[in-house]
Amino acid sequence: PTRTPSPSVTPPPTNTLPPTTTPPPTTTPLPTTTPLPTGTGVPTTPSPTITPGGPTFTPQPTATPCDPHFSDVQQSDYFYVPVRYLYCIGAISGYADGTFRPYSATTRSQLVKMVVLARGFPLVRPATPTFSDVPASQPFYPYIETAAQHGIISGYADGTFQPYGSVTRGQTCKVVVVAASWTLVTPATPTFSDVGPGNPYYTYVETAYRHNIIVGYSDGTFRWGNDATRGQLSKVVVLSVTLPPQ
């Protein structure tokens, strides 16, 4: 289905990680794992980018070479290879105007689709929907149901999933770490000044950091409540499936 073009977001600073738009475009949808605490609002500061100088990786070759040809994704961009990788496996697509909008926010549905396809999980289509707001007719239904079956996501207390809600940096860490089945780490000393042991995403952020798929800001923060962008999520998801095991 075609998505309503998302608002542009001012390109964030060079840093880490990975985005609510109205019903998303035909790109990759994505989610969070556990019901998120209420009150996690969208921050007023733009999200950063995932460390341009962070870990590198070599994506798995595709059967047929492909090129997304997004007008706003250049080879010099830190997310170029991840975006191309996800595009070639069908996990993402662009907008009707030929853009990818890497600095736009990402939805829960889009994140789920990226992770499920990048992980190669067989899709499931149960007769009875798990979430009241994700019927079988919803375009992301099989991806959301597959993620739920694998324990990657859960919904809210009211039985909804809120597929078009935006994804934060903390939520992204949880989804990616759970999907990868990594052993959670809980260091005595927090890596980031704003993500301490009492934070609901502490172990997931620390585990993601330990696996070199995220970094923080120059001021020592991670800004876990900031929205994750499409470009950021692309890099984090692909790194989680292509970096050597640790």
Side-chain angles (χ1 to χ4, degrees):
T2 28
R3 297 174 33 181
T4 307
S6 307
S8 354
V9 177
T10 306
T14 49
N15 208 303
T16 16
L17 214 200
T20 177
T21 42
T22 39
T26 51
T27 44
T28 354
L30 325 194
T32 28
T33 25
T34 2
L36 307 171
T38 49
T40 304
V42 177
T44 53
T45 5
S47 301
T49 57
I50 316 173
T51 71
T56 56
F57 59 92
T58 304
Q60 301 170 0
T62 51
T64 307
C66 61
D67 190 341
H69 293 297
F70 295 128
S71 61
D72 54 353
V73 177
Q74 309 303 318
Q75 291 189 25
S76 57
D77 294 325
Y78 75 87
F79 45 75
Y80 173 77
V81 174
V83 167
R84 183 178 183 278
Y85 178 96
L86 293 172
Y87 175 83
C88 291
I89 65 172
I92 61 171
S93 59
Y95 290 80
D97 61 0
T99 62
F100 177 66
R101 304 180 191 177
Y103 300 109
S104 294
T106 306
T107 67
R108 291 161 60 80
S109 294
Q110 294 171 338
L111 174 58
V112 170
K113 183 178 180 182
M114 273 190 198
V115 171
V116 166
L117 291 182
R119 286 275 156 202
F121 295 137
L123 298 181
V124 299
R125 299 172 183 271
T128 303
T130 301
F131 306 106
S132 61
D133 57 346
V134 185
S137 57
Q138 213 263 9
F140 298 114
Y141 182 71
Y143 308 108
I144 291 172
E145 290 293 344
T146 301
Q149 184 184 72
H150 284 270
I152 299 171
I153 60 167
S154 61
Y156 290 82
D158 61 0
T160 64
F161 178 66
Q162 300 182 20
Y164 297 119
S166 62
V167 175
T168 67
R169 291 160 57 80
Q171 293 167 355
T172 297
C173 287
K174 184 170 185 179
V175 171
V176 171
V177 166
V178 173
S181 297
W182 288 333
T183 299
L184 298 180
V185 298
T186 309
T189 304
T191 301
F192 306 106
S193 61
D194 60 340
V195 187
N199 186 291
Y201 300 109
Y202 180 62
T203 55
Y204 304 105
V205 170
E206 291 291 348
T207 303
Y209 178 76
R210 180 70 56 87
H211 283 268
N212 297 313
I213 66 170
I214 63 163
V215 295
Y217 289 81
S218 57
D219 63 358
T221 63
F222 180 65
R223 304 180 192 180
W224 61 278
N226 282 20
D227 281 349
T229 67
R230 290 159 59 78
Q232 293 168 353
L233 282 182
S234 295
K235 183 169 184 180
V236 169
V237 169
V238 173
L239 281 175
S240 73
V241 298
T242 58
L243 284 178
Q246 295 185 45

